[in-house]
Amino acid sequence: MSKKPAILLIYTGGTIGMVKDFSTGALKAFNFDQLLERIPELNLLDCTIATYSFETPIDSSDMHPEHWVSMVNIIESNYDTYDGFVILHGSDTMSYSASALSFMLQNLQKPVIFTGSQLPIGDLRTDAKENLITAIQVATFQKNSVPLIQEVCLYFEYKLYRGNRTTKVSAELFNAFTSPNELHLAESGVHFKINESLLLKHRPEEKCRVYKNMDTRVMILKLFPGINQEIFESILNIASLKGLVLETYGSGNAPTEKWFLACLKKAMDQGLKVVNVTQCSGGSVNMGQYETSTEMKEIGVISGKDITTEAAITKLMYLLGQQVPSNEFKDLFEQSICGEMT
Ligand code: ASP
């Protein structure tokens, strides 16, 4: 008889782990030791579940790269013991964390599935149970005794997405996430449909590579009509700033005003890495398609192609953290590391 898959459930915080205290009506953090008692349905899953909780669970608005390192450490030290990992996380910054972990845990041979919920697990109408139960189930899927999912994913409201392709789009709907430039990897209905051709596959002989240095000297700047020269210049002149995600218009367009390009060029000459991503919710940067992006291409602005802002900022942190040689940085950024861009 084959062994049941073993899943490690890691609770970092967020709405999903809240229950109502019936005496006061207030929401409080869920005691993870009582997980199976609270959600007896989990006993029906054909796997074993162990739990690990952050000592102080956080609202994901307080998420920080140090927490990403904690998650990576937990996965790294338990990598050989478990067949899959499910991370319960607040939905607000879940796409950032899923993107970050995809760069920090490369060549994964096991699933790391992020999930959370819009309503607490103790709420009558909660979306937490379905998200949690199916995320665990997804983490147990195997083919020829090998985990089927070998990457960082995000499961929410019946869909499994590549984590570094997602973005949170609704603060209200259960259907809170989307993956604008990549199809979802699987969908849960009466049957669970997996689009296997989209899944990342890794060579078993190569080990999982773990990276823990994330350089936070980065910034996201969204362009808007009327952007002020003095303010733009002072941001780009910040001496410690190493990387900038510039959210431009449409297919990567920006003002053609002389001061704007001169300021970008000066900062880049001094070593700033600038990544062009579109502020549209779908589509790709294509510098040179319009006059308004040609000069950015000429001065060496990095094309973020169809990457999300969440993946762009975490990829910048990761590449800067690896101290990649300056002359290789643009090429490395413009290549996909783990499916984050087409
Ligand atoms: N503010 C919460 C968080 O991100 C919302 C949620 O859990 O969905 O932690």
Side-chain angles (χ1 to χ4, degrees):
M1 201 176 80
S2 64
K3 204 167 113 290
K4 286 184 179 184
I7 304 301
L8 182 62
L9 186 61
I10 302 164
Y11 176 52
T12 68
T15 303
I16 190 163
M18 303 271 164
V19 283
K20 199 171 261 175
D21 182 328
F22 285 107
S23 54
T24 63
L27 288 174
K28 59 173 194 183
F30 183 96
N31 178 350
F32 253 70
D33 298 338
Q34 298 165 357
L35 181 76
L36 290 172
E37 273 167 48
R38 291 268 182 185
I39 315 173
E41 296 91 326
L42 291 177
N43 288 311
L44 301 174
L45 290 172
D46 200 19
C47 61
T48 61
I49 303 169
T51 58
Y52 182 100
S53 174
F54 269 19
E55 207 169 289
T56 315
I58 56 165
D59 185 293
S60 78
S61 309
D62 280 323
M63 194 49 65
H64 188 277
E66 280 167 20
H67 297 112
W68 298 336
V69 173
S70 303
M71 293 177 218
V72 166
N73 283 337
I74 299 165
I75 292 172
E76 185 183 26
S77 53
N78 289 284
Y79 194 75
D80 294 332
T81 313
Y82 294 93
D83 300 293
F85 303 86
V86 174
I87 302 185
L88 301 186
H89 191 292
S91 61
D92 289 348
T93 61
M94 198 188 295
S95 293
Y96 290 91
S97 294
S99 299
L101 261 70
S102 74
F103 301 122
M104 297 168 83
L105 291 166
Q106 289 178 38
N107 201 45
L108 266 177
Q109 278 131 6
K110 300 188 176 187
V112 173
I113 316 284
F114 277 82
T115 195
S117 65
Q118 292 282 53
L119 283 176
I121 207 147
D123 193 287
L124 198 57
R125 292 178 48 251
T126 191
D127 54 330
K129 281 195 184 178
E130 201 288 316
N131 288 348
L132 172 61
I133 290 168
T134 311
I136 295 175
Q137 207 163 27
V138 168
T140 66
F141 289 157
Q142 299 195 345
K143 196 172 184 179
N144 305 326
S145 307
V146 172
L148 187 60
I149 313 286
Q150 306 188 352
E151 56 182 299
V152 178
C153 291
L154 188 155
Y155 182 80
F156 221 89
E157 188 65 3
Y158 304 113
K159 290 206 175 97
L160 182 75
Y161 306 98
R162 174 158 302 134
N164 57 29
R165 287 295 196 144
T166 61
T167 191
K168 184 173 177 185
V169 286
S170 178
E172 163 74 24
L173 300 175
F174 285 157
N175 190 4
F177 287 86
T178 187
S179 168
N181 291 320
E182 176 68 291
L183 290 173
H184 49 269
L185 306 179
E187 187 159 10
S188 169
V190 173
H191 301 289
F192 199 86
K193 285 201 192 127
I194 305 177
N195 195 341
E196 280 195 47
S197 63
L198 292 177
L199 302 178
L200 295 184
K201 285 278 169 282
H202 295 296
R203 275 184 256 129
E205 63 278 10
E206 277 177 34
K207 281 215 150 45
C208 173
R209 295 184 303 275
V210 177
Y211 301 91
K212 297 181 190 171
N213 265 349
M214 298 294 271
D215 193 330
T216 57
R217 292 171 298 174
V218 294
M219 183 70 199
I220 299 170
L221 204 157
K222 182 171 183 161
L223 293 183
F224 56 93
I227 190 161
N228 180 286
Q229 176 175 356
E230 195 185 328
I231 295 172
F232 187 75
E233 280 175 357
S234 39
I235 294 174
L236 266 70
N237 279 335
I238 297 171
S240 55
L241 186 65
K242 297 286 170 240
L244 179 75
V245 172
L246 191 65
E247 279 200 2
T248 58
Y249 310 124
S251 55
N253 306 313
T256 49
E257 285 171 85
K258 287 232 157 8
W259 67 262
F260 176 80
L261 287 154
C263 174
L264 267 186
K265 176 152 182 359
K266 184 172 155 226
M268 288 169 57
D269 286 346
Q270 285 165 359
L272 182 71
K273 305 296 175 210
V274 180
V275 182
N276 185 351
V277 304
T278 175
Q279 46 184 263
C280 292
S281 49
S284 181
V285 160
N286 183 5
M287 285 187 284
Q289 185 183 357
Y290 289 90
E291 215 178 4
T292 43
S293 61
T294 304
E295 286 196 59
M296 282 201 291
K297 184 175 182 176
E298 278 163 10
I299 63 173
V301 169
I302 299 165
S303 174
K305 302 181 185 174
D306 63 351
I307 200 168
T308 60
T309 297
E310 291 87 335
I313 194 77
T314 49
K315 189 172 182 178
L316 255 187
M317 288 184 189
Y318 158 71
L319 285 176
L320 289 168
Q322 303 321 302
Q323 283 152 0
V324 164
S326 196
N327 58 342
E328 292 172 23
F329 199 96
K330 183 173 188 294
D331 280 351
L332 282 174
F333 196 103
E334 290 180 350
Q335 286 165 33
S336 167
I337 296 174
C338 41
E340 74 282 5
M341 49 171 55
T342 307

